[in-house]
Amino acid sequence: MRVRTLAVVLLAGGLALTACGKEGTPGESASGPTQQVATDVKVDGSKTFENITKRGKVVIGVKEDQPNLGYKDPTSGKYSGFDVEIAKLIAAKLGFGDDKIEYKAIASAGREQAIINGDIDYYVGTYTINDKRKQQISFAGPYFTAGQDLLVKKSDDSITGPESLKGKKVCSVTGSTPIQKVKSDNLTESSNIVELQNYSQCVQQLEQGAIHAVTTDDAILKGYAAQQPDLFKVVGKTFSKEPYGIGLAKDDKALRDKMNDILEEAIQGDGWKKIYDATLGKSGSPAEKPVIERY
Ligand code: GLU
Protein backbone atom coordinates (compact mmCIF):
# COMPACT_ATOMS: atom_id res chain seq x y z
CA MET A 1 0.00 0.00 0.00
CA ARG A 2 2.78 2.42 0.97
CA VAL A 3 4.78 1.42 -2.10
CA ARG A 4 1.78 2.00 -4.32
CA THR A 5 1.10 5.41 -2.77
CA LEU A 6 4.68 6.43 -3.36
CA ALA A 7 4.51 5.28 -6.96
CA VAL A 8 1.35 7.24 -7.60
CA VAL A 9 2.88 10.40 -6.10
CA LEU A 10 6.05 10.09 -8.16
CA LEU A 11 4.23 9.29 -11.37
CA ALA A 12 1.74 12.07 -10.83
CA GLY A 13 4.72 14.39 -10.52
CA GLY A 14 5.84 13.29 -13.96
CA LEU A 15 8.91 11.47 -12.68
CA ALA A 16 10.14 8.07 -13.64
CA LEU A 17 9.93 5.64 -10.76
CA THR A 18 13.55 4.82 -10.08
CA ALA A 19 13.45 3.65 -6.48
CA CYS A 20 11.03 1.60 -4.48
CA GLY A 21 9.75 3.00 -1.20
CA LYS A 22 10.20 0.61 1.68
CA GLU A 23 9.07 0.90 5.26
CA GLY A 24 11.38 3.38 6.92
CA THR A 25 12.77 4.91 3.75
CA PRO A 26 14.29 8.25 4.76
CA GLY A 27 11.95 11.08 3.99
CA GLU A 28 8.89 8.90 4.05
CA SER A 29 6.33 10.39 6.35
CA ALA A 30 4.89 8.59 9.34
CA SER A 31 1.23 9.39 8.82
CA GLY A 32 0.57 10.53 5.29
CA PRO A 33 1.51 10.55 1.63
CA THR A 34 5.11 11.12 0.59
CA GLN A 35 5.56 14.60 -0.82
CA GLN A 36 7.77 15.32 -3.76
CA VAL A 37 10.32 17.95 -2.75
CA ALA A 38 10.38 20.94 -5.12
CA THR A 39 13.63 22.34 -6.44
CA ASP A 40 14.74 25.86 -7.40
CA VAL A 41 11.96 27.45 -5.41
CA LYS A 42 11.81 31.22 -5.30
CA VAL A 43 9.62 33.32 -3.06
CA ASP A 44 10.64 36.84 -4.01
CA GLY A 45 10.35 39.36 -1.21
CA SER A 46 9.82 36.82 1.58
CA LYS A 47 12.01 37.48 4.61
CA THR A 48 10.94 34.20 6.20
CA PHE A 49 11.88 32.20 3.11
CA GLU A 50 15.24 33.97 3.03
CA ASN A 51 15.84 32.89 6.66
CA ILE A 52 14.77 29.31 5.93
CA THR A 53 17.10 29.13 2.94
CA LYS A 54 20.08 30.52 4.88
CA ARG A 55 19.44 28.11 7.75
CA GLY A 56 18.94 25.15 5.41
CA LYS A 57 15.94 23.90 7.36
CA VAL A 58 12.38 24.86 8.23
CA VAL A 59 11.29 25.38 11.83
CA ILE A 60 7.58 24.63 12.18
CA GLY A 61 5.39 25.21 15.23
CA VAL A 62 2.92 22.38 15.92
CA LYS A 63 0.84 20.70 18.62
CA GLU A 64 2.16 17.48 20.12
CA ASP A 65 -0.76 16.12 22.14
CA GLN A 66 -3.64 16.16 19.64
CA PRO A 67 -4.12 12.70 18.08
CA ASN A 68 -4.85 12.69 14.32
CA LEU A 69 -3.91 16.38 14.10
CA GLY A 70 -0.55 17.11 15.71
CA TYR A 71 0.81 14.28 17.78
CA LYS A 72 4.28 13.29 18.92
CA ASP A 73 4.73 9.58 19.50
CA PRO A 74 6.30 9.32 22.97
CA THR A 75 8.35 6.28 21.94
CA SER A 76 9.61 7.15 18.46
CA GLY A 77 9.45 10.94 18.85
CA LYS A 78 7.80 11.09 15.40
CA TYR A 79 5.13 13.65 14.65
CA SER A 80 1.96 12.65 12.85
CA GLY A 81 -1.50 13.91 11.99
CA PHE A 82 -3.41 16.11 9.56
CA ASP A 83 -1.74 19.39 10.61
CA VAL A 84 1.71 17.79 10.52
CA GLU A 85 1.06 16.50 7.00
CA ILE A 86 -0.12 19.94 5.88
CA ALA A 87 3.07 21.38 7.41
CA LYS A 88 5.15 18.82 5.48
CA LEU A 89 3.33 19.54 2.23
CA ILE A 90 4.17 23.25 2.55
CA ALA A 91 7.80 22.49 3.45
CA ALA A 92 8.19 20.12 0.49
CA LYS A 93 6.78 22.66 -1.97
CA LEU A 94 9.17 25.24 -0.53
CA GLY A 95 12.01 22.82 -1.28
CA PHE A 96 12.53 21.17 2.11
CA GLY A 97 12.03 17.47 2.73
CA ASP A 98 11.19 15.74 6.01
CA ASP A 99 14.87 15.60 7.00
CA LYS A 100 15.06 19.40 6.77
CA ILE A 101 12.18 20.03 9.16
CA GLU A 102 12.49 20.85 12.84
CA TYR A 103 9.25 20.76 14.84
CA LYS A 104 8.64 22.91 17.89
CA ALA A 105 5.67 22.06 20.06
CA ILE A 106 3.97 25.28 21.08
CA ALA A 107 0.77 25.51 23.12
CA SER A 108 -2.17 27.67 22.01
CA ALA A 109 -1.23 30.62 24.23
CA GLY A 110 2.29 30.89 22.80
CA ARG A 111 1.54 30.87 19.07
CA GLU A 112 1.39 34.55 18.15
CA GLN A 113 4.50 35.41 20.17
CA ALA A 114 6.49 32.51 18.70
CA ILE A 115 5.69 33.81 15.19
CA ILE A 116 6.42 37.44 16.11
CA ASN A 117 9.75 36.47 17.72
CA GLY A 118 10.75 34.42 14.68
CA ASP A 119 11.15 31.30 16.88
CA ILE A 120 9.29 29.42 14.14
CA ASP A 121 8.88 30.03 10.40
CA TYR A 122 5.23 29.06 10.44
CA TYR A 123 2.65 27.35 12.65
CA VAL A 124 0.27 24.55 11.73
CA GLY A 125 -1.86 23.40 14.67
CA THR A 126 -5.66 23.77 14.84
CA TYR A 127 -5.12 27.52 14.56
CA THR A 128 -8.36 29.40 13.97
CA ILE A 129 -8.18 32.33 11.57
CA ASN A 130 -9.70 35.41 13.18
CA ASP A 131 -9.41 39.20 13.06
CA LYS A 132 -7.93 39.55 16.54
CA ARG A 133 -5.02 37.27 15.67
CA LYS A 134 -4.67 38.92 12.27
CA GLN A 135 -3.64 42.11 14.07
CA GLN A 136 -0.44 40.33 15.13
CA ILE A 137 0.24 37.67 12.51
CA SER A 138 -1.16 36.54 9.18
CA PHE A 139 -2.83 33.35 7.97
CA ALA A 140 -2.73 31.25 4.83
CA GLY A 141 -5.78 29.07 4.27
CA PRO A 142 -8.21 27.97 5.51
CA TYR A 143 -7.23 24.36 4.89
CA PHE A 144 -10.00 22.87 7.10
CA THR A 145 -13.01 24.01 9.14
CA ALA A 146 -13.80 22.59 12.58
CA GLY A 147 -16.43 23.62 15.13
CA GLN A 148 -16.48 23.96 18.91
CA ASP A 149 -17.88 20.91 20.67
CA LEU A 150 -17.85 19.10 24.02
CA LEU A 151 -16.12 15.97 25.29
CA VAL A 152 -17.83 14.26 28.25
CA LYS A 153 -17.76 10.95 30.07
CA LYS A 154 -19.56 8.28 28.10
CA SER A 155 -21.98 7.71 30.98
CA ASP A 156 -22.93 11.41 31.23
CA ASP A 157 -26.33 12.16 29.67
CA SER A 158 -26.79 15.48 31.43
CA ILE A 159 -24.63 17.47 29.01
CA THR A 160 -26.25 17.70 25.60
CA GLY A 161 -24.86 20.99 24.26
CA PRO A 162 -23.55 24.41 25.28
CA GLU A 163 -26.86 25.31 26.93
CA SER A 164 -26.52 22.53 29.49
CA LEU A 165 -23.18 23.59 31.01
CA LYS A 166 -24.46 25.78 33.86
CA GLY A 167 -23.27 24.35 37.18
CA LYS A 168 -20.78 22.09 35.38
CA LYS A 169 -17.03 22.32 35.53
CA VAL A 170 -15.73 23.02 32.02
CA CYS A 171 -12.09 22.85 30.96
CA SER A 172 -10.39 24.54 28.02
CA VAL A 173 -7.05 26.07 27.12
CA THR A 174 -5.48 29.49 27.65
CA GLY A 175 -5.24 31.60 24.49
CA SER A 176 -7.81 29.54 22.58
CA THR A 177 -11.06 30.60 20.91
CA PRO A 178 -13.14 28.00 22.85
CA ILE A 179 -12.12 29.37 26.29
CA GLN A 180 -12.97 32.81 24.95
CA LYS A 181 -16.45 31.62 23.97
CA VAL A 182 -17.06 29.93 27.34
CA LYS A 183 -16.36 33.29 28.97
CA SER A 184 -18.05 35.69 26.55
CA ASP A 185 -21.22 33.58 26.20
CA ASN A 186 -21.33 32.80 29.95
CA LEU A 187 -21.68 29.09 29.22
CA THR A 188 -20.91 28.33 32.86
CA GLU A 189 -20.15 30.31 36.04
CA SER A 190 -16.61 31.75 36.13
CA SER A 191 -15.85 29.67 39.26
CA ASN A 192 -16.56 26.56 37.17
CA ILE A 193 -14.09 27.37 34.39
CA VAL A 194 -10.87 25.40 34.48
CA GLU A 195 -8.18 26.88 32.26
CA LEU A 196 -5.06 24.82 31.45
CA GLN A 197 -2.21 24.91 28.92
CA ASN A 198 -3.06 21.84 26.81
CA TYR A 199 -6.20 19.91 25.92
CA SER A 200 -4.63 16.62 27.01
CA GLN A 201 -4.39 18.08 30.53
CA CYS A 202 -8.13 18.83 30.39
CA VAL A 203 -8.81 15.27 29.22
CA GLN A 204 -6.85 13.94 32.20
CA GLN A 205 -9.02 16.04 34.51
CA LEU A 206 -12.12 14.63 32.86
CA GLU A 207 -10.87 11.08 33.29
CA GLN A 208 -10.21 11.75 36.98
CA GLY A 209 -13.68 13.19 37.46
CA ALA A 210 -12.37 16.64 38.46
CA ILE A 211 -14.34 18.33 35.66
CA HIS A 212 -17.49 17.53 33.65
CA ALA A 213 -16.59 18.60 30.12
CA VAL A 214 -13.69 19.58 27.88
CA THR A 215 -14.53 22.12 25.22
CA THR A 216 -12.65 22.81 22.00
CA ASP A 217 -12.83 21.91 18.29
CA ASP A 218 -14.69 18.71 17.38
CA ALA A 219 -11.69 17.53 15.33
CA ILE A 220 -9.50 17.62 18.45
CA LEU A 221 -12.08 16.02 20.75
CA LYS A 222 -12.78 13.19 18.30
CA GLY A 223 -9.10 12.27 18.50
CA TYR A 224 -9.27 11.88 22.28
CA ALA A 225 -12.59 10.00 22.13
CA ALA A 226 -11.09 7.60 19.57
CA GLN A 227 -8.20 6.86 21.95
CA GLN A 228 -10.55 5.90 24.82
CA PRO A 229 -13.93 5.10 23.26
CA ASP A 230 -15.18 3.26 26.35
CA LEU A 231 -14.59 6.28 28.55
CA PHE A 232 -15.43 9.38 26.51
CA LYS A 233 -17.86 10.65 23.90
CA VAL A 234 -18.14 13.81 21.81
CA VAL A 235 -21.54 15.48 22.21
CA GLY A 236 -21.55 16.22 18.48
CA LYS A 237 -23.42 19.52 18.29
CA THR A 238 -20.92 22.11 17.12
CA PHE A 239 -21.55 25.69 18.15
CA SER A 240 -18.92 27.73 16.31
CA LYS A 241 -16.94 27.79 13.09
CA GLU A 242 -13.17 27.36 13.40
CA PRO A 243 -11.43 27.77 10.05
CA TYR A 244 -7.84 26.52 10.37
CA GLY A 245 -5.03 28.59 8.93
CA ILE A 246 -1.26 28.44 8.75
CA GLY A 247 0.12 31.19 10.98
CA LEU A 248 3.04 33.23 9.67
CA ALA A 249 4.69 36.63 10.01
CA LYS A 250 2.21 39.45 9.54
CA ASP A 251 4.14 41.37 6.91
CA ASP A 252 5.24 38.37 4.81
CA LYS A 253 2.60 38.61 2.09
CA ALA A 254 4.91 36.91 -0.43
CA LEU A 255 5.07 33.72 1.66
CA ARG A 256 1.36 33.87 2.48
CA ASP A 257 0.53 34.04 -1.24
CA LYS A 258 2.92 31.16 -1.96
CA MET A 259 1.36 29.03 0.78
CA ASN A 260 -2.11 29.79 -0.52
CA ASP A 261 -1.00 28.71 -4.01
CA ILE A 262 0.35 25.45 -2.56
CA LEU A 263 -2.85 24.78 -0.62
CA GLU A 264 -5.04 25.70 -3.58
CA GLU A 265 -3.18 23.27 -5.83
CA ALA A 266 -3.45 20.48 -3.26
CA ILE A 267 -7.18 21.09 -2.81
CA GLN A 268 -7.88 21.22 -6.56
CA GLY A 269 -5.78 18.11 -7.17
CA ASP A 270 -5.73 15.06 -4.92
CA GLY A 271 -2.98 16.12 -2.47
CA TRP A 272 -5.30 17.52 0.18
CA LYS A 273 -7.68 14.55 0.05
CA LYS A 274 -4.84 12.06 0.39
CA ILE A 275 -3.64 13.82 3.52
CA TYR A 276 -7.16 14.00 4.93
CA ASP A 277 -7.91 10.33 4.20
CA ALA A 278 -4.66 9.21 5.85
CA THR A 279 -5.25 11.19 9.05
CA LEU A 280 -8.44 12.94 10.19
CA GLY A 281 -10.64 11.08 7.73
CA LYS A 282 -9.96 7.85 9.60
CA SER A 283 -11.89 8.92 12.69
CA GLY A 284 -14.39 11.47 11.42
CA SER A 285 -16.97 12.11 8.77
CA PRO A 286 -15.89 13.18 5.29
CA ALA A 287 -14.84 16.83 5.14
CA GLU A 288 -15.79 19.46 2.62
CA LYS A 289 -12.95 20.77 0.52
CA PRO A 290 -11.89 24.15 1.90
CA VAL A 291 -12.00 27.38 -0.06
CA ILE A 292 -8.85 29.52 0.23
CA GLU A 293 -9.44 33.11 1.29
CA ARG A 294 -6.86 35.49 -0.03
CA TYR A 295 -6.30 38.92 1.48
N1 GLU B 1 -9.06 26.31 16.97
C1 GLU B 1 -9.10 26.90 18.26
C2 GLU B 1 -8.05 27.98 18.41
O1 GLU B 1 -7.30 28.24 17.52
C3 GLU B 1 -8.95 25.86 19.36
C4 GLU B 1 -7.85 24.88 19.18
C5 GLU B 1 -6.51 25.35 19.71
O2 GLU B 1 -6.45 25.94 20.80
O3 GLU B 1 -5.53 25.09 19.04
O4 GLU B 1 -8.00 28.63 19.43
Side-chain angles (χ1 to χ4, degrees), residues 16 35 51 59 85 106 117 130 159 198 203 208 236 242 287 293:
Q35 302 296 347
N51 292 339
V59 183
E85 295 305 324
I106 294 167
N117 293 351
N130 65 31
I159 299 175
N198 298 303
V203 173
Q208 289 164 8
E242 310 290 333
E293 283 161 25

Side-chain angles (χ1 to χ4, degrees), residues 105-140:
I106 294 167
S108 297
R111 293 182 285 205
E112 286 86 40
Q113 205 55 49
I115 294 168
I116 292 167
N117 293 351
D119 295 342
I120 53 174
D121 297 311
Y122 56 91
Y123 189 97
V124 193
T126 58
Y127 202 5
T128 295
I129 301 170
N130 65 31
D131 289 344
K132 185 163 172 244
R133 290 171 178 166
K134 274 189 194 165
Q135 289 172 10
Q136 293 187 281
I137 60 140
S138 74
F139 288 102

Side-chain angles (χ1 to χ4, degrees), residues 63 66 83 106-109 111-112 123 125-130 133 139 146 172-179 197 199 215-217 220 242-244:
K63 291 291 180 71
Q66 299 180 180
D83 286 334
I106 294 167
S108 297
R111 293 182 285 205
E112 286 86 40
Y123 189 97
T126 58
Y127 202 5
T128 295
I129 301 170
N130 65 31
R133 290 171 178 166
F139 288 102
S172 197
V173 158
T174 308
S176 71
T177 51
I179 191 83
Q197 281 304 300
Y199 297 109
T215 186
T216 186
D217 306 337
I220 301 174
E242 310 290 333
Y244 289 172

Side-chain angles (χ1 to χ4, degrees), residues 22-56:
K22 294 195 303 259
E23 288 282 328
T25 305
E28 193 163 341
S29 100
S31 62
T34 303
Q35 302 296 347
Q36 192 192 321
V37 180
T39 50
D40 296 324
V41 180
K42 282 195 183 61
V43 190
D44 288 335
S46 169
K47 184 92 188 105
T48 312
F49 187 72
E50 203 182 297
N51 292 339
I52 296 172
T53 308
K54 267 192 218 144
R55 206 191 296 124

